[in-house]
Amino acid sequence: MTEPGTPSSRGSRIVDARVIVTCPGRNFVTLKLTTDDGVSGIGDATLNGRELAVASYLQDHVCPALIGRDSSRIEDTWHYLYKGAYWRRGPVTMTAIAAVDTALWDILGKVAGLPVYQLLGGRAREGVTVYGHANGRDIPEVVDQVGVYLELGYKAVRVQVGVPGLPVVYGVSDDKLFYEPAVAGAAPTEATWSTERYLHHVPALFEAVRDKYGFDVRLLHDVHHRLTPIEAARLGKRVEEYQLYWLEDPTPAESQEAFRLIRQHTTTPIAVGEVFNSIWDCQQLITEQLVDFIRATVVHAGGITHLRRIFNLAELYQVRSGSHGATDLSPVCMAAALHLDLAIPNFGLQEYMRHSAATDEVFPHGYHFADGYLHPAETPGLGVEIDEELAARYPYSAAPLPVNRLLDGSVHSW
Ligand code: CS2
Ligand code: MG
């Protein structure tokens, strides 16, 4: 029998493990692994607003343990890092594990001469349907923006609107195609929130969009964890007639039972999971069919290996995927997500926020958008690289996510 890590096992050895931090407009952390055969693979390790914690976790605790390991032992390495750390789960640990896992899949694809989706079972659909973000300060502006996305070919659009009386609202920005909530500076900026004003205003947005564009486009909305379960239930019930494709993160999911209350009251489909790190965060949500879409991502939920496990569980319960794809996930994560999206049976929808030109230059990639779909590259591996020289020209720059307060000053979920 071959022992893990002995010279008689088949794969090539990892000889270099490096963390690259770069800020081409926003911060990204990337892990690059190289084998003794000279093959390199990369993985995204970006955790928005907490980037350096993951960089240190990798650099100080993971990279030294990777040197000499067999790069083909992806599952074994996953458990080596997960069980071997003793301290399980959590965003920092699981993002670090994700980076290693993603880089190993990239290497495997390059060694095999196949795009990663082929290693995951092959193409289960022709392309990956994506949604874009239409937003505006008021309802007419959002309605116009939906038109822009439809013109671009999108089949699904998320809509977010400013709320009268609130100066800044999540999801609304001047820079329409490249929304970025993290704000440069040492300490977080602060926003204000009123659930009453929001609940009063937002149904009219869906009404206006449906009036103008009909029911052919998939319509989505992100509540961003701001409601209590009964408030979320009321919103879901109120907007049923507009047939949302999903209502996202209606309430914080630390308590998975909370979603039972929402379910009892509304048939509006529920999506959740961008902040999840493991299968344990959504086990009850899935097995009790309390949600319809699971939005965990490659980078924050333990890589391709673990996210595939989550989606496999979800498939048994007719829960579909809806992976997070905001701009704080690097093109490396996006590429990995597309390979998985293409191969799983229960794909639902993929979020796609475009990266800026500077980011695309640092991470040259072969995936591309056409007629509402994204298509992964057909080249071996993930089909995305990092231009290290260019990356070095953009040093890290602190940019935390905002903190949110109610009108009386109480801290609220952002
Ligand atoms: C989000 C993100 O894309 C989404 O659905 O909720 O914009 C989220 O706010 C960021 O990823 C936080 O870094
Ligand atoms: Mg969201």
Side-chain angles (χ1 to χ4, degrees), residues 21-41:
V21 181
T22 181
C23 185
R26 64 163 342 287
N27 292 308
F28 294 109
V29 179
T30 309
L31 176 72
K32 182 169 185 175
L33 302 180
T34 306
T35 69
D36 53 4
D37 292 337
V39 180
S40 290

PDB file of all heavy atoms in Angstrom, residues 21-41:
ATOM      1  N   VAL A  21      -0.602  39.003  -2.622  1.00  0.00           N
ATOM      2  CA  VAL A  21      -1.644  39.979  -2.257  1.00  0.00           C
ATOM      3  C   VAL A  21      -1.529  41.152  -3.220  1.00  0.00           C
ATOM      4  O   VAL A  21      -0.445  41.707  -3.399  1.00  0.00           O
ATOM      5  CB  VAL A  21      -1.473  40.456  -0.798  1.00  0.00           C
ATOM      6  CG1 VAL A  21      -2.569  41.449  -0.427  1.00  0.00           C
ATOM      7  CG2 VAL A  21      -1.480  39.276   0.165  1.00  0.00           C
ATOM      8  N   THR A  22      -2.629  41.510  -3.839  1.00  0.00           N
ATOM      9  CA  THR A  22      -2.593  42.601  -4.815  1.00  0.00           C
ATOM     10  C   THR A  22      -3.877  43.414  -4.741  1.00  0.00           C
ATOM     11  O   THR A  22      -4.923  42.893  -4.361  1.00  0.00           O
ATOM     12  CB  THR A  22      -2.398  42.027  -6.247  1.00  0.00           C
ATOM     13  OG1 THR A  22      -2.351  43.101  -7.184  1.00  0.00           O
ATOM     14  CG2 THR A  22      -3.513  41.081  -6.649  1.00  0.00           C
ATOM     15  N   CYS A  23      -3.776  44.693  -5.120  1.00  0.00           N
ATOM     16  CA  CYS A  23      -4.947  45.577  -5.025  1.00  0.00           C
ATOM     17  C   CYS A  23      -5.152  46.382  -6.313  1.00  0.00           C
ATOM     18  O   CYS A  23      -4.969  47.602  -6.331  1.00  0.00           O
ATOM     19  CB  CYS A  23      -4.787  46.510  -3.818  1.00  0.00           C
ATOM     20  SG  CYS A  23      -6.235  47.532  -3.522  1.00  0.00           S
ATOM     21  N   PRO A  24      -5.554  45.715  -7.401  1.00  0.00           N
ATOM     22  CA  PRO A  24      -5.826  46.461  -8.639  1.00  0.00           C
ATOM     23  C   PRO A  24      -7.211  47.122  -8.546  1.00  0.00           C
ATOM     24  O   PRO A  24      -8.133  46.763  -9.271  1.00  0.00           O
ATOM     25  CB  PRO A  24      -5.790  45.371  -9.715  1.00  0.00           C
ATOM     26  CG  PRO A  24      -6.144  44.099  -8.985  1.00  0.00           C
ATOM     27  CD  PRO A  24      -5.773  44.265  -7.554  1.00  0.00           C
ATOM     28  N   GLY A  25      -7.347  48.052  -7.587  1.00  0.00           N
ATOM     29  CA  GLY A  25      -8.650  48.698  -7.361  1.00  0.00           C
ATOM     30  C   GLY A  25      -9.338  48.143  -6.142  1.00  0.00           C
ATOM     31  O   GLY A  25     -10.068  48.833  -5.442  1.00  0.00           O
ATOM     32  N   ARG A  26      -9.132  46.865  -5.854  1.00  0.00           N
ATOM     33  CA  ARG A  26      -9.639  46.235  -4.630  1.00  0.00           C
ATOM     34  C   ARG A  26      -8.688  45.090  -4.282  1.00  0.00           C
ATOM     35  O   ARG A  26      -7.922  44.658  -5.141  1.00  0.00           O
ATOM     36  CB  ARG A  26     -11.063  45.740  -4.808  1.00  0.00           C
ATOM     37  CG  ARG A  26     -11.214  44.639  -5.828  1.00  0.00           C
ATOM     38  CD  ARG A  26     -12.514  43.897  -5.706  1.00  0.00           C
ATOM     39  NE  ARG A  26     -13.132  44.099  -4.419  1.00  0.00           N
ATOM     40  CZ  ARG A  26     -12.697  43.556  -3.279  1.00  0.00           C
ATOM     41  NH1 ARG A  26     -11.643  42.759  -3.288  1.00  0.00           N
ATOM     42  NH2 ARG A  26     -13.311  43.800  -2.147  1.00  0.00           N
ATOM     43  N   ASN A  27      -8.719  44.629  -3.037  1.00  0.00           N
ATOM     44  CA  ASN A  27      -7.743  43.624  -2.607  1.00  0.00           C
ATOM     45  C   ASN A  27      -8.112  42.206  -3.024  1.00  0.00           C
ATOM     46  O   ASN A  27      -9.281  41.809  -2.911  1.00  0.00           O
ATOM     47  CB  ASN A  27      -7.624  43.653  -1.080  1.00  0.00           C
ATOM     48  CG  ASN A  27      -6.999  44.938  -0.590  1.00  0.00           C
ATOM     49  OD1 ASN A  27      -5.936  45.332  -1.060  1.00  0.00           O
ATOM     50  ND2 ASN A  27      -7.675  45.619   0.334  1.00  0.00           N
ATOM     51  N   PHE A  28      -7.109  41.461  -3.462  1.00  0.00           N
ATOM     52  CA  PHE A  28      -7.275  40.033  -3.738  1.00  0.00           C
ATOM     53  C   PHE A  28      -6.088  39.283  -3.143  1.00  0.00           C
ATOM     54  O   PHE A  28      -4.949  39.753  -3.202  1.00  0.00           O
ATOM     55  CB  PHE A  28      -7.294  39.752  -5.247  1.00  0.00           C
ATOM     56  CG  PHE A  28      -8.485  40.325  -5.947  1.00  0.00           C
ATOM     57  CD1 PHE A  28      -8.347  41.411  -6.789  1.00  0.00           C
ATOM     58  CD2 PHE A  28      -9.756  39.784  -5.757  1.00  0.00           C
ATOM     59  CE1 PHE A  28      -9.448  41.959  -7.437  1.00  0.00           C
ATOM     60  CE2 PHE A  28     -10.860  40.324  -6.397  1.00  0.00           C
ATOM     61  CZ  PHE A  28     -10.708  41.413  -7.238  1.00  0.00           C
ATOM     62  N   VAL A  29      -6.373  38.104  -2.603  1.00  0.00           N
ATOM     63  CA  VAL A  29      -5.318  37.220  -2.102  1.00  0.00           C
ATOM     64  C   VAL A  29      -5.352  35.954  -2.966  1.00  0.00           C
ATOM     65  O   VAL A  29      -6.415  35.365  -3.168  1.00  0.00           O
ATOM     66  CB  VAL A  29      -5.551  36.872  -0.611  1.00  0.00           C
ATOM     67  CG1 VAL A  29      -4.461  35.940  -0.102  1.00  0.00           C
ATOM     68  CG2 VAL A  29      -5.608  38.145   0.229  1.00  0.00           C
ATOM     69  N   THR A  30      -4.179  35.557  -3.472  1.00  0.00           N
ATOM     70  CA  THR A  30      -4.112  34.396  -4.357  1.00  0.00           C
ATOM     71  C   THR A  30      -3.012  33.464  -3.879  1.00  0.00           C
ATOM     72  O   THR A  30      -1.927  33.918  -3.507  1.00  0.00           O
ATOM     73  CB  THR A  30      -3.781  34.853  -5.802  1.00  0.00           C
ATOM     74  OG1 THR A  30      -4.697  35.888  -6.167  1.00  0.00           O
ATOM     75  CG2 THR A  30      -3.877  33.703  -6.789  1.00  0.00           C
ATOM     76  N   LEU A  31      -3.289  32.180  -3.878  1.00  0.00           N
ATOM     77  CA  LEU A  31      -2.270  31.188  -3.542  1.00  0.00           C
ATOM     78  C   LEU A  31      -1.764  30.562  -4.831  1.00  0.00           C
ATOM     79  O   LEU A  31      -2.565  30.165  -5.686  1.00  0.00           O
ATOM     80  CB  LEU A  31      -2.876  30.097  -2.648  1.00  0.00           C
ATOM     81  CG  LEU A  31      -1.911  28.946  -2.308  1.00  0.00           C
ATOM     82  CD1 LEU A  31      -0.834  29.393  -1.335  1.00  0.00           C
ATOM     83  CD2 LEU A  31      -2.672  27.750  -1.742  1.00  0.00           C
ATOM     84  N   LYS A  32      -0.450  30.484  -4.971  1.00  0.00           N
ATOM     85  CA  LYS A  32       0.122  29.845  -6.157  1.00  0.00           C
ATOM     86  C   LYS A  32       0.979  28.660  -5.731  1.00  0.00           C
ATOM     87  O   LYS A  32       1.902  28.804  -4.926  1.00  0.00           O
ATOM     88  CB  LYS A  32       0.972  30.852  -6.938  1.00  0.00           C
ATOM     89  CG  LYS A  32       1.551  30.268  -8.213  1.00  0.00           C
ATOM     90  CD  LYS A  32       2.143  31.363  -9.085  1.00  0.00           C
ATOM     91  CE  LYS A  32       2.604  30.777 -10.424  1.00  0.00           C
ATOM     92  NZ  LYS A  32       3.077  31.818 -11.332  1.00  0.00           N
ATOM     93  N   LEU A  33       0.649  27.481  -6.240  1.00  0.00           N
ATOM     94  CA  LEU A  33       1.413  26.266  -5.933  1.00  0.00           C
ATOM     95  C   LEU A  33       2.156  25.817  -7.181  1.00  0.00           C
ATOM     96  O   LEU A  33       1.603  25.875  -8.285  1.00  0.00           O
ATOM     97  CB  LEU A  33       0.460  25.135  -5.482  1.00  0.00           C
ATOM     98  CG  LEU A  33      -0.424  25.411  -4.261  1.00  0.00           C
ATOM     99  CD1 LEU A  33      -1.303  24.197  -3.959  1.00  0.00           C
ATOM    100  CD2 LEU A  33       0.439  25.761  -3.049  1.00  0.00           C
ATOM    101  N   THR A  34       3.381  25.371  -7.008  1.00  0.00           N
ATOM    102  CA  THR A  34       4.162  24.871  -8.151  1.00  0.00           C
ATOM    103  C   THR A  34       4.714  23.493  -7.805  1.00  0.00           C
ATOM    104  O   THR A  34       5.119  23.246  -6.659  1.00  0.00           O
ATOM    105  CB  THR A  34       5.323  25.845  -8.465  1.00  0.00           C
ATOM    106  OG1 THR A  34       4.759  27.157  -8.639  1.00  0.00           O
ATOM    107  CG2 THR A  34       6.055  25.462  -9.743  1.00  0.00           C
ATOM    108  N   THR A  35       4.711  22.608  -8.790  1.00  0.00           N
ATOM    109  CA  THR A  35       5.196  21.233  -8.560  1.00  0.00           C
ATOM    110  C   THR A  35       6.608  21.055  -9.116  1.00  0.00           C
ATOM    111  O   THR A  35       7.103  21.898  -9.866  1.00  0.00           O
ATOM    112  CB  THR A  35       4.280  20.206  -9.243  1.00  0.00           C
ATOM    113  OG1 THR A  35       4.449  20.336 -10.664  1.00  0.00           O
ATOM    114  CG2 THR A  35       2.829  20.410  -8.873  1.00  0.00           C
ATOM    115  N   ASP A  36       7.205  19.930  -8.777  1.00  0.00           N
ATOM    116  CA  ASP A  36       8.564  19.647  -9.268  1.00  0.00           C
ATOM    117  C   ASP A  36       8.584  19.407 -10.778  1.00  0.00           C
ATOM    118  O   ASP A  36       9.634  19.384 -11.394  1.00  0.00           O
ATOM    119  CB  ASP A  36       9.207  18.476  -8.506  1.00  0.00           C
ATOM    120  CG  ASP A  36       8.347  17.227  -8.500  1.00  0.00           C
ATOM    121  OD1 ASP A  36       7.276  17.224  -9.146  1.00  0.00           O
ATOM    122  OD2 ASP A  36       8.743  16.249  -7.844  1.00  0.00           O
ATOM    123  N   ASP A  37       7.402  19.224 -11.395  1.00  0.00           N
ATOM    124  CA  ASP A  37       7.343  19.129 -12.863  1.00  0.00           C
ATOM    125  C   ASP A  37       7.217  20.508 -13.497  1.00  0.00           C
ATOM    126  O   ASP A  37       7.047  20.626 -14.714  1.00  0.00           O
ATOM    127  CB  ASP A  37       6.125  18.299 -13.295  1.00  0.00           C
ATOM    128  CG  ASP A  37       6.288  16.846 -12.908  1.00  0.00           C
ATOM    129  OD1 ASP A  37       7.443  16.413 -12.732  1.00  0.00           O
ATOM    130  OD2 ASP A  37       5.258  16.162 -12.757  1.00  0.00           O
ATOM    131  N   GLY A  38       7.198  21.545 -12.674  1.00  0.00           N
ATOM    132  CA  GLY A  38       7.110  22.911 -13.196  1.00  0.00           C
ATOM    133  C   GLY A  38       5.688  23.346 -13.519  1.00  0.00           C
ATOM    134  O   GLY A  38       5.471  24.367 -14.180  1.00  0.00           O
ATOM    135  N   VAL A  39       4.685  22.587 -13.030  1.00  0.00           N
ATOM    136  CA  VAL A  39       3.292  22.979 -13.272  1.00  0.00           C
ATOM    137  C   VAL A  39       2.812  23.841 -12.103  1.00  0.00           C
ATOM    138  O   VAL A  39       3.058  23.502 -10.941  1.00  0.00           O
ATOM    139  CB  VAL A  39       2.373  21.734 -13.395  1.00  0.00           C
ATOM    140  CG1 VAL A  39       0.923  22.141 -13.635  1.00  0.00           C
ATOM    141  CG2 VAL A  39       2.874  20.822 -14.506  1.00  0.00           C
ATOM    142  N   SER A  40       2.137  24.953 -12.428  1.00  0.00           N
ATOM    143  CA  SER A  40       1.615  25.824 -11.373  1.00  0.00           C
ATOM    144  C   SER A  40       0.093  25.855 -11.402  1.00  0.00           C
ATOM    145  O   SER A  40      -0.519  25.761 -12.472  1.00  0.00           O
ATOM    146  CB  SER A  40       2.104  27.259 -11.574  1.00  0.00           C
ATOM    147  OG  SER A  40       3.476  27.322 -11.298  1.00  0.00           O
ATOM    148  N   GLY A  41      -0.488  26.006 -10.216  1.00  0.00           N
ATOM    149  CA  GLY A  41      -1.942  26.159 -10.109  1.00  0.00           C
ATOM    150  C   GLY A  41      -2.227  27.293  -9.155  1.00  0.00           C
ATOM    151  O   GLY A  41      -1.429  27.569  -8.253  1.00  0.00           O
TER     152      GLY A  41
END
